[in-house]
Amino acid sequence: MTTTAPDFRLDGRTALVTGAASGIGRGVALGIAGSGAAVACIDLPGPGLDAVLAELVASGVRAIAVPADVTDPESLGEAVRRTEAELGPLTLAVNSAGIANAAPAEEMPLAQWQRVVDVDLTGVFLSCQAEGRAMLRHGGGAIVNIASMSGSIANRGLLQAHYNAAKAGVVHLTKSLAMEWSDRRIRVNAISPGYTATPMNTRPEVAEQVKTFEAETPLGRMATVAEIVGPTVFLLSDAAAFCTGVDLLVDGGFTCW
Ligand code: NAP
């Protein structure tokens, strides 16, 4: 009997990652590159974007950085155009750009609600639209949207109705696009992280809150970024060829309580 190992590699492909300057997006950009793909790093302009590009280039990876705002369809279109011109046809994408803040629902100004929905939900739609247009031209691809367990549960003690609603929207957007594009060979899936040790959660001022996050997570700690990267690379790879419309909760068991 012959055995065949599942294929988790991404060799020879071109990927685009939004939110690549920090946290999960940065880890995903490095992890995709380590799995063999060329990577376009997309984020707001700043030192984080320059640093991740420098790290990729220093390790011999074909990579570019394109400053772009995920709420601006023109800058996303330009990011895809540059990615394809400099790295080749786009067939992989991960949408990780996002923001979070908090306010009691009864006091939340419309502008605060709107900004979170614009970046965290509309930004994911516009990213998928720009990426999907390119993938449809090339006969297919795979997209992973970084949603959140907050799309399935309302986090105890966190006043973030806007964020939770936006993330629930990302999960259903993912399923909707997966169905629209299923017959044109684009797979669209979501990763929903639980509490993860990124700059968002490692600031000294949130140290006490993080102790609660850890105590409330069945595995007793936050996820490392690497623990989100592995499942993301899996969903991009041919090992996940029959997965589409999945919301993969990577939450240390949090949503089982
Ligand atoms: P992060 O470290 O703050 O990274 C998010 C990145 O997105 C930052 O570089 C940010 O830039 C960028 N960004 C923000 N607005 C943007 C825009 N309009 N256009 C382009 N880029 C923009 O956060 P993270 O913890 O890695 O989170 C990544 C994703 O995972 C988010 O969607 C988040 O909701 C989700 N998530 C995180 C956790 C967690 O516990 N950390 C849990 C569940 C889900 P600036 O820094 O300049 O704003």
Side-chain angles (χ1 to χ4, degrees):
M1 186 177 106
T2 55
T3 56
T4 309
D7 187 2
F8 297 101
R9 296 286 309 174
L10 307 174
D11 298 290
R13 308 199 198 162
T14 296
L16 180 157
V17 180
T18 76
S22 179
I24 292 169
R26 179 180 178 282
V28 164
L30 295 167
I32 287 175
S35 302
V39 185
C41 299
I42 313 299
D43 209 303
L44 299 172
L49 189 57
D50 300 339
V52 71
L53 178 65
E55 194 170 342
L56 286 163
V57 170
S59 56
V61 174
R62 291 178 62 233
I64 60 170
V66 187
D69 185 330
V70 296
T71 65
D72 173 9
E74 285 186 14
S75 77
L76 286 167
E78 174 61 12
V80 170
R81 191 199 64 73
R82 270 197 60 195
T83 300
E84 299 212 299
E86 297 180 41
L87 299 178
L90 181 71
T91 56
L92 304 174
V94 178
N95 298 314
S96 185
I99 56 172
N101 52 51
E106 68 275 20
E107 291 166 18
M108 187 182 293
L110 175 58
Q112 185 176 358
W113 166 277
Q114 195 64 58
R115 182 67 189 154
V116 167
V117 171
D118 282 352
V119 176
D120 290 0
L121 176 55
T122 309
V124 174
F125 170 69
L126 292 172
S127 300
C128 288
Q129 186 181 54
E131 296 149 4
R133 284 172 178 159
M135 291 178 190
L136 288 169
R137 284 198 301 274
H138 311 315
I143 297 174
V144 173
N145 294 322
I146 306 300
S148 171
M149 68 174 178
S150 307
S152 299
I153 53 106
N155 310 59
R156 191 178 298 131
L158 297 187
L159 304 176
Q160 50 178 32
H162 52 352
Y163 182 86
N164 296 349
K167 292 298 185 179
V170 171
V171 171
H172 208 60
L173 169 67
T174 299
K175 292 174 194 276
S176 303
L177 296 179
M179 293 304 97
E180 278 202 38
W181 293 338
S182 62
D183 59 350
R184 284 175 287 169
R185 302 188 61 237
I186 302 179
R187 296 185 299 105
V188 190
N189 292 294
I191 292 281
S192 280
Y195 296 114
T196 305
T198 68
M200 200 185 267
N201 287 326
T202 48
R203 290 167 290 144
E205 61 270 29
V206 296
E208 282 308 309
Q209 202 174 31
V210 163
K211 283 185 195 158
T212 308
F213 294 164
E214 291 178 334
E216 288 180 346
T217 300
L219 290 188
R221 58 181 177 80
M222 293 196 292
T224 64
V225 167
E227 288 168 331
I228 307 301
V229 174
T232 304
V233 169
F234 158 65
L235 285 176
L236 291 174
S237 75
D238 289 346
F242 206 57
C243 295
T244 198
V246 167
D247 174 31
L248 178 50
L249 282 148
V250 187
D251 65 354
F254 191 99
T255 52
C256 293
W257 280 137

